[in-house]
Amino acid sequence: TWGLGRVAALEHPHLWAQLIDLPPHIDHHTLTRLATTLTPHNNEDQTAIRTTGTHTRRLTHAPTTTPTTTWQPTGTTLITGGTGGIGAVLARWLAHQGAPHLHLTSRRGPHAPGAQQLTQELTQLGTTVTITACDVSDPHQLRNLLDTIPDTHPLTTVIHAAG
């Protein structure tokens, strides 16, 4: 039925009103929402009325909110794919946030292009950096990697940025 209504709207736009999808069980909230939907100032052409409210197919901007708390990285942050692309950008951001230990992985590990420069940069920001060669799709390599996380900086965060 909904599809028929959509086709009718395309074929006869001068006759078009609106489609309203009602819930299986009608209550007094449904009737109030239906009356509001049928008011002349409502410009929505497709509406679904549910027990949780009235929903339309329009997207709107969410209000901008400021976080009430800031996140402070602690322990070890493991970043898969951490030596290149997004992983390196996140590592820099975490170092600026005061991350005490970053464990970066990639298939080539410390031999990845730019890995040594990234290590120097992050170390200068006060972060301890470990770079390990690890194919995180291999469960044995991943288990060995997790076993090397130091007790002094336990694993607290994992960011999967590997391609």
Side-chain angles (χ1 to χ4, degrees):
T1 305
W2 197 270
L4 177 62
R6 295 279 298 143
V7 170
L10 293 171
E11 295 289 326
H12 303 285
H14 57 288
L15 299 176
W16 180 241
Q18 87 187 108
L19 291 169
I20 301 172
D21 184 16
L22 297 172
H25 303 289
I26 306 295
D27 61 15
H28 68 283
H29 295 294
T30 304
L31 297 176
T32 303
R33 292 179 179 127
L34 178 60
T36 303
T37 301
L38 294 172
T39 58
H41 69 274
N42 181 16
N43 294 326
E44 297 299 333
D45 63 348
Q46 296 180 47
T47 305
I49 298 174
R50 298 290 179 264
T51 56
T52 57
T54 303
H55 306 280
T56 62
R57 67 181 186 113
R58 303 279 180 239
L59 295 177
T60 59
H61 289 280
T64 303
T65 59
T66 304
T68 56
T69 60
T70 57
W71 177 65
Q72 178 67 42
T74 60
T76 294
T77 300
L78 172 65
I79 304 177
T80 66
T83 59
I86 294 171
V89 170
L90 289 169
R92 288 182 183 96
W93 181 79
L94 286 162
H96 281 285
Q97 300 303 310
H101 182 231
L102 295 175
H103 197 135
L104 312 179
T105 69
S106 68
R107 289 184 181 183
R108 296 174 67 189
H111 304 293
Q116 295 306 316
Q117 294 85 349
L118 180 61
T119 300
Q120 291 172 352
E121 182 181 342
L122 299 174
T123 302
Q124 288 173 353
L125 292 170
T127 299
T128 303
V129 180
T130 303
I131 297 182
T132 304
C134 179
D135 179 355
V136 294
S137 68
D138 180 328
H140 299 292
Q141 288 186 36
L142 188 56
R143 170 50 47 203
N144 290 337
L145 168 74
L146 294 174
D147 288 342
T148 66
I149 304 292
D151 291 337
T152 56
H153 293 292
L155 183 63
T156 58
T157 307
V158 177
I159 299 174
H160 183 57

